Amino acid sequence: MNSARLVRAAVAAVLAAALLTACSSGGGDGVPRGWIKDKYTVGGAGWVDPDSSPTQVADAIHGHRKAVDRASGGRMEFLRYGDDMVTVSPYRNGSQIEIEDYRNGYRRHSQYLNYWPDPNSSSFRGGGTGSGK
């Protein structure tokens, strides 16, 4: 009898862990952090591509994992992944890539994100596959 309870508890724990992983922004729809870390060089305030324009870098990131939304302005490119945001800006002869919380990124760059939801509004739920939970 105890072994059956132990098996049920173990199965429940594994399912709960899988569900939490799937709903987090680091899941399948989150920012491809590992890919960015592997592909680009650490530098500046994040990562650097010394030769590519912000549009080219944003295209590559978006091509690897589709963003929930994309915007541009001020020679910068913005990719939204649920509760996170990737900003690609000019840096020397290439681009700089920053990953930050959506609220912070929106606050810094709101003048370019006219149609993105304001994270300080009562209706904002983050976005991505885990929104509304």
Side-chain angles (χ1 to χ4, degrees):
M1 206 56 135
N2 284 338
S3 64
R5 284 186 189 160
L6 185 60
V7 168
R8 281 195 298 259
V11 169
V14 168
L15 290 175
L19 184 61
L20 286 172
T21 300
C23 290
S24 72
S25 63
D29 292 330
V31 173
R33 291 176 196 273
W35 184 82
I36 290 171
K37 289 177 184 178
D38 290 343
K39 182 158 176 64
Y40 300 102
T41 306
V42 174
W47 297 269
V48 173
D49 181 318
D51 304 313
S52 302
S53 72
T55 301
Q56 291 170 320
V57 172
D59 286 347
I61 296 169
H62 184 71
H64 179 75
R65 183 168 300 148
K66 301 275 186 249
V68 172
D69 208 346
R70 183 171 175 173
S72 60
R75 298 179 48 219
M76 294 180 282
E77 296 289 325
F78 307 96
L79 301 168
R80 184 165 71 98
Y81 293 89
D83 292 333
D84 295 309
M85 182 170 137
V86 175
T87 302
V88 185
S89 55
Y91 183 77
R92 297 184 181 159
N93 293 325
S95 298
Q96 178 174 306
I97 304 149
E98 295 178 76
I99 300 172
E100 61 188 315
D101 178 74
Y102 179 68
R103 288 181 192 281
N104 294 336
Y106 186 89
R107 188 172 28 253
R108 286 178 56 204
H109 304 291
S110 61
Q111 70 269 27
Y112 306 115
L113 308 173
N114 298 327
Y115 63 93
W116 284 16
D118 183 345
N120 295 316
S121 74
S122 61
S123 63
F124 180 72
R125 293 182 178 226
T129 58
S131 65
K133 292 186 179 178

